Amino acid sequence: MESFKIRLAMKNLLWIQGLSCNGNTQSILNAENPQIYELFSKINLLYHPSLSVENNVLDIVEDIYRDRLSLDFLVVEGAITNNKNFHKIGDYSIGEIIEKLKNKARYIIAIGNCAVFGNIPSLYKENKDIKGLQFKFKEKEGFLPSDFKTSSGYPVINIPGCPSHPAWFTQTIITLYYEKPLILDKFNRPKELFMYLSHDGCIRNEYFEWKYEAEEFGHKEGCLFYNLGCRGPITHAPCNKILWNRVSSKTRAGMPCIGCTEYDFPLRENYFETKKNIGIPEEVPLGVSKRAYITISGVAKTLKNERVSKKLEETD
Ligand code: SF4
């Protein structure tokens, strides 16, 4: 009886997985401030496929479905399918589980690009029913209807990334826990996080402005946009604002941003190469016309910046 009272007082969270590499689970284990055990001391974790000791997910799903248990947060990791040859939870497909719970959860959160956009599993051409929860790549043709909303009035709240950063998840869930409003963008991503570009806050911005390109990965100097395929200026993600492990990011370490928070992440080829047309990148920074980009680049290239043209160790 005591534990039942606690369950009633706390908000309940159920985490289920579809077609997934478990990467977002691995990511949230690295959450800091709050750490994941602190989060789950406030929120009652009903079940998580990797963290729960008891394998009683179907009992919990049935209790929620029969209104014997309330569900505040349904967190979905992985792409959705009804094909049981690909994925099963007991005798149910992940799609059947979602059907049972979709009108019971106050909030549904899709974590990671597979649950959000379908991502790599959705590339499988033989099975077209593999999707994200509310999107399949760019289209609002996910598993749930495009106008679907939970009782909170929100559509599926999308936290993309391959994987997503743990703080993007904890920040979102704490906002909802305290019933604070979330503003979402056109892909239902929280704007507070995804209105930034991965380029914002990158320590290579000075090289970007002066058009000094890195020739190789892993070096301290140079921007990775022009030759090495960096998608920082076209990718909505706060990777250089909320650092990974509070220390670094891909671009800080000399690796291009591969745009893994966007719908087209797995549709692209040659991640480490910038596609160009007569020497001009095919995709220019968001908000800038090609003409403006060519003009500004041309001017920057005619001017020499002594500082950024040297190795950092050699600067005064
Ligand atoms: S490396 Fe990428 S994110 Fe960093 S400044 Fe260059 S283009 Fe922007």
Side-chain angles (χ1 to χ4, degrees):
M1 198 56 175
E2 183 58 26
S3 66
F4 190 54
K5 266 191 208 152
I6 291 168
R7 272 190 171 188
L8 276 183
M10 290 177 79
K11 296 194 177 183
N12 289 333
L13 183 148
L14 173 64
W15 185 300
I16 53 172
Q17 274 177 345
L19 295 162
S20 150
C21 71
N22 208 38
N24 290 280
T25 290
Q26 302 295 325
S27 185
I28 63 144
L29 294 178
N30 292 306
E32 298 170 281
N33 196 22
Q35 296 192 355
I36 210 66
Y37 74 88
E38 291 172 313
L39 185 75
F40 292 139
S41 67
K42 281 256 183 217
I43 295 172
N44 184 38
L45 180 62
L46 295 172
Y47 176 82
H48 183 293
S50 303
L51 304 179
S52 295
V53 178
E54 268 188 88
N55 186 11
N56 57 349
V57 61
L58 291 181
D59 296 340
I60 290 169
V61 169
E62 203 55 28
D63 280 352
I64 295 166
Y65 183 64
R66 305 260 167 228
D67 293 324
R68 295 191 289 256
L69 193 56
S70 64
L71 182 60
D72 299 284
F73 304 106
L74 174 63
V75 180
V76 181
E77 175 181 11
I80 313 303
T81 177
N82 266 326
N83 189 329
K84 292 181 195 168
N85 291 327
F86 289 112
H87 188 270
K88 270 201 299 188
I89 301 177
D91 280 334
Y92 293 94
S93 69
I94 179 70
E96 287 168 332
I97 300 274
I98 302 280
E99 279 297 336
K100 271 179 165 277
L101 300 178
K102 68 180 186 191
N103 294 322
K104 304 291 176 183
R106 184 150 170 71
Y107 302 101
I108 300 181
I109 298 172
I111 185 164
N113 257 40
C114 294
V116 174
F117 296 118
N119 200 16
I120 294 163
S122 286
L123 291 176
Y124 187 56
K125 291 198 171 63
E126 308 301 313
N127 186 356
K128 296 212 180 333
D129 98 319
I130 302 176
K131 301 166 175 183
L133 267 172
Q134 226 166 356
F135 283 86
K136 180 159 183 177
F137 302 125
K138 191 180 188 176
E139 307 305 327
K140 261 199 153 187
E141 292 172 1
F143 184 80
L144 295 170
S146 60
D147 58 353
F148 171 82
K149 289 189 175 150
T150 61
S151 61
S152 62
Y154 285 99
V156 173
I157 296 164
N158 287 332
I159 307 177
C162 197
S164 64
H165 189 296
W168 305 347
F169 172 70
T170 53
Q171 190 172 316
T172 302
I173 209 135
I174 289 168
T175 305
L176 298 172
Y177 177 90
Y178 288 107
E179 305 281 346
K180 300 292 179 199
L182 273 185
I183 302 170
L184 304 179
D185 70 8
K186 66 178 179 182
F187 290 117
N188 298 342
R189 303 173 290 198
K191 273 200 171 177
E192 181 59 31
L193 297 165
F194 293 94
M195 65 187 172
Y196 297 99
L197 299 178
S198 166
H199 179 71
D200 298 336
C202 177
I203 55 170
R204 296 170 190 270
N205 264 309
E206 203 179 358
Y207 297 103
F208 178 84
E209 284 160 19
W210 290 97
K211 306 297 163 216
Y212 281 84
E213 273 298 307
E215 300 301 328
E216 288 179 63
F217 305 117
H219 285 205
K220 291 190 180 74
E221 302 84 3
C223 169
L224 308 152
F225 178 71
Y226 191 73
N227 289 327
L228 297 179
C230 184
R231 298 186 67 84
I234 29 190
T235 297
H236 295 88
C239 287
N240 275 304
K241 181 169 180 281
I242 303 174
L243 296 177
W244 289 75
N245 297 321
R246 289 205 260 186
V247 184
S248 196
S249 68
K250 284 195 187 78
T251 62
R252 287 181 184 220
M255 148 89 185
C257 164
I258 54 174
C260 75
T261 52
E262 299 291 357
Y263 69 85
D264 61 347
F265 162 60
L267 300 171
R268 286 181 260 115
E269 290 173 352
N270 302 334
Y271 285 84
F272 304 122
E273 188 182 298
T274 305
K275 271 199 193 145
K276 289 180 221 159
N277 212 338
I278 351 177
I280 310 297
E282 276 184 12
E283 291 178 86
V284 294
L286 282 183
V288 178
S289 70
K290 241 180 201 166
R291 183 188 288 244
Y293 177 79
I294 294 168
T295 309
I296 286 182
S297 310
V299 171
K301 277 183 179 164
T302 59
L303 303 167
K304 189 169 167 74
N305 180 324
E306 285 294 337
R307 206 185 88 79
V308 300
S309 62
K310 290 181 184 165
K311 287 251 169 224
L312 279 171
E313 285 90 349
E314 291 165 2
T315 55
D316 297 331

